Amino acid sequence: MEKLVNLCKRRGIIFPSSDIYGGLSSTWDYGPLGVELKRNVKEAWWREMVQRRLDVLGLDAAILMHPRTWEASGHLQSFTDPLVDCKSCKQRFRADHLDSNRCPECGGELTEARQFNLMLKTFMGPVEDTASTIYLRPETAQGIFVNFPNIVDTQRVKLPFGVAQIGKSFRNEITPGNFIFRTREFEQMEMEFFIKPDPEEEAKWFEYWLTERFGWYVKFGINADHLRLRPHEKDELSHYSRGTTDIEFLYPFGWGELEGVAKRGSYDLDRHAEFSGKDLTYFEEETRSRFRPWVIEPAAGVDRALLAFLLDSYDEDVVENEERIVLRLDPRLAPIKAAVFPLLRKGGQPEKAQEVLRMLQRQFVVAYDQAGSIGRRYRRQDEVGTPFGITIDHQTMEDNTVTLRDRDSTVQDRIAINELARVLEERIGWLK
Ligand code: GAP
């Protein structure tokens, strides 16, 4: 993990937040390459979960929600972790993460566990009193539930259907850490899939979404041996869940949650109907009946997915007797798709390279580098995962062809410039 954290900082993928002030604990900023990678992870999810389906719609709800939302959702009362303090070294721990009732750092005695609410509070407007208290959402899901009647009334949807959104969530975690694995500000990609209230339908769609979501990680480059499914024990289920299975990833610190797939039943719609007094039912034409649907929820973290993709793509090998670091990222996720290099800084090569750059930039994120030996330039791109290197050389000036180097195999093909965009599109493979 340390090697990856260093690479991320050195190459502008992820920086410690507020770095010049010594950083803010467990808070991270995505740099110029990180922001591209993150956008691609979200794009990969959005395309698969929303745009390529007819049964899932998108939504972008506000982070700030009416405070009654959190009473209704149960988060005010139940979204807590048990907190203990060490009486000797004063460190804080989550009681449910400890193996014994002694301090894991110094062996000291621990206080009794206190329940600690994880929601971050702030105030709406200039007066800071209880009436103006508002919460930063701890999950994006509630924005979907409160919009259920808006979606049903405006979209002519038919069960089963899903509503998906990507956005920031906030939790006042007691023990954040492990780089971007657990932070207080993070991004989620969640989908609420509404189904008929029937245990057989529930079992069918739960299996369906577990398989889909597991497959998504493999499709975008995670080694399937580094993934496993772990059903929750009864006593670890969230307050809203009738059953949850985590998709876990093998992080350097051990197996940990990557995504949770939960059966939320009609818990959320029931509670919001009760607290708002509004009708949150769905009308089924065939049976002429009204009911509140049940829900299957695949809930993923953008940052955790990005961490898993980085960890599984990190590699070190030797090319032409030189060691290199290479991120073997799926080309669809890679922050930069190709880099253009003039072999020499003369003979019209830089001008030609700029021309190729501008042509490709219409479709792709492309870098340009003319500093240092060609070998060094390839390596600079390898370590940020750029899948293709395009070199303009003396032959280019004669026949309008370039060399196209593959990051993983380092094999080079000669390609005509007017074929380049099509070949890149094919090899990047959005169409797959
Ligand atoms: N709506 C259900 C829900 O929020 P969750 O299991 O608490 O379920 C879903 O969160 C996903 O969000 C997790 O699997 C993880 O990827 C991500 N996540 C949750 N807490 C996080 C944190 N503190 N830092 C980074 N990612 C987090």
Side-chain angles (χ1 to χ4, degrees):
M1 183 81 113
E2 203 159 316
K3 281 185 181 174
L4 182 69
V5 176
N6 289 339
L7 175 70
C8 283
K9 171 146 197 204
R10 186 162 55 77
R11 294 306 312 273
I13 302 174
I14 301 169
F15 302 122
S17 167
S18 320
D19 211 5
I20 60 167
Y21 292 105
L24 177 67
S25 146
S26 301
T27 314
W28 302 91
D29 295 343
Y30 288 84
L33 293 175
V35 68
E36 293 294 341
L37 176 58
K38 201 180 189 198
R39 286 169 61 111
N40 294 340
V41 169
K42 290 190 276 187
E43 179 77 4
W45 189 88
W46 194 256
R47 281 196 189 223
E48 298 280 315
M49 297 292 283
V50 183
Q51 294 178 335
R52 287 186 173 173
R53 306 185 61 104
L54 291 174
D55 58 353
V56 178
L57 306 168
L59 182 75
D60 185 11
I63 289 174
L64 302 178
M65 299 181 70
H66 194 289
R68 290 277 281 168
T69 308
W70 308 111
E71 279 177 58
S73 71
H75 282 79
L76 255 185
Q77 215 205 326
S78 309
F79 196 53
T80 54
D81 277 340
L83 168 73
V84 290
D85 293 289
C86 172
K87 290 181 180 171
S88 310
C89 71
K90 309 292 178 209
Q91 288 213 58
R92 296 214 148 127
F93 304 97
R94 263 175 70 171
D96 57 333
H97 282 180
L98 299 179
D99 297 329
S100 75
N101 55 1
R102 307 298 295 187
C103 172
E105 292 297 323
C106 73
E109 199 185 331
L110 298 172
T111 59
E112 285 287 304
R114 288 172 287 139
Q115 288 303 322
F116 171 80
N117 194 291
L118 295 179
M119 284 199 292
L120 276 147
K121 264 189 221 174
T122 186
F123 301 98
M124 190 113 154
V127 185
E128 298 192 0
D129 61 10
T130 5
S132 57
T133 299
I134 197 148
Y135 299 91
L136 303 185
R137 68 181 176 200
E139 59 169 7
T140 56
Q142 295 304 324
I144 297 174
F145 293 124
V146 303
N147 272 293
F148 181 76
N150 291 335
I151 301 281
V152 169
D153 291 348
T154 62
Q155 302 299 312
R156 294 176 47 224
V157 282
K158 235 173 145 244
L159 287 184
F161 71 89
V163 181
Q165 79 167 324
I166 299 178
K168 289 255 171 150
S169 291
F170 301 82
R171 295 181 189 176
N172 206 357
E173 299 281 1
I174 299 167
T175 47
N178 285 323
F179 196 27
I180 53 172
F181 175 77
R182 182 172 285 112
T183 51
R184 297 192 172 102
E185 172 181 348
F186 54 96
E187 241 177 314
Q188 290 186 306
M189 309 184 277
E190 298 197 296
M191 199 269 285
E192 309 304 318
F193 197 71
F194 298 96
I195 57 170
K196 286 184 192 181
D198 168 64
E200 271 179 30
E201 282 279 294
E202 186 184 49
K204 180 178 91 186
W205 286 109
F206 186 65
E207 280 311 308
Y208 171 85
W209 283 112
L210 270 177
T211 310
E212 280 290 301
R213 296 302 308 143
F214 193 101
W216 182 83
Y217 292 103
V218 177
K219 179 170 178 178
F220 287 94
I222 306 279
N223 179 343
D225 294 340
H226 297 166
L227 293 172
R228 71 175 188 192
L229 298 179
R230 189 185 69 81
H232 279 206
E233 302 291 339
K234 281 265 169 307
D235 63 356
E236 60 171 323
L237 286 176
S238 305
H239 61 275
Y240 51 72
S241 175
R242 298 157 43 88
T244 298
T245 293
D246 282 346
I247 300 174
E248 292 193 333
F249 176 72
L250 187 55
Y251 298 93
F253 49 86
W255 288 100
E257 179 183 345
L258 185 54
E259 167 160 353
V261 181
K263 300 175 184 169
R264 290 180 84 128
S266 59
Y267 172 85
D268 300 272
L269 291 181
D270 291 347
R271 297 274 295 187
H272 285 303
E274 184 190 333
F275 279 69
S276 68
K278 295 279 162 28
D279 178 10
L280 303 185
T281 55
Y282 167 86
F283 179 70
E284 191 177 55
E285 293 279 349
E286 301 86 60
T287 54
R288 313 289 302 163
S289 60
R290 285 198 166 274
F291 52 82
R292 284 192 283 269
W294 287 5
V295 168
I296 303 295
E297 176 197 63
V302 177
D303 314 82
R304 273 190 205 176
L306 187 146
L307 178 59
F309 287 126
L310 280 175
L311 284 165
D312 252 20
S313 68
Y314 185 96
D315 197 10
E316 292 170 359
D317 67 359
V318 177
V319 173
E320 288 160 13
N321 296 324
E322 254 194 77
E323 282 181 17
R324 70 164 180 170
I325 292 174
V326 54
L327 289 185
R328 300 189 190 277
L329 285 168
D330 184 292
R332 291 167 293 186
L333 299 183
I336 300 171
K337 305 301 182 208
V340 178
F341 314 112
L343 186 63
L344 301 174
R345 280 205 238 181
K346 56 183 185 190
Q349 291 184 19
E351 292 75 14
K352 191 78 187 169
Q354 289 281 339
E355 223 178 87
V356 171
L357 171 75
R358 277 194 299 277
M359 176 190 81
L360 294 178
Q361 274 179 329
R362 290 195 216 123
Q363 261 174 283
F364 311 101
V365 178
V366 187
Y368 179 85
D369 190 357
Q370 58 175 33
S373 75
I374 191 71
R376 283 197 52 199
R377 285 184 266 169
Y378 284 148
R379 271 163 193 68
R380 274 203 284 269
Q381 294 300 327
D382 289 342
E383 63 175 18
V384 295
T386 307
F388 304 106
I390 296 160
T391 303
I392 277 68
D393 55 16
H394 65 277
Q395 195 178 328
T396 311
M397 308 313 292
E398 287 163 14
D399 65 4
N400 266 323
T401 64
V402 295
T403 62
L404 181 65
R405 172 187 180 267
D406 181 273
R407 173 197 68 201
D408 297 335
S409 64
T410 74
V411 168
Q412 301 193 20
D413 298 324
R414 197 102 214 158
I415 309 272
I417 288 177
N418 59 12
E419 285 290 298
L420 205 46
R422 189 188 57 77
V423 171
L424 279 184
E425 199 172 277
E426 231 170 68
R427 295 201 189 172
I428 292 166
W430 265 122
L431 307 177
K432 264 188 250 167

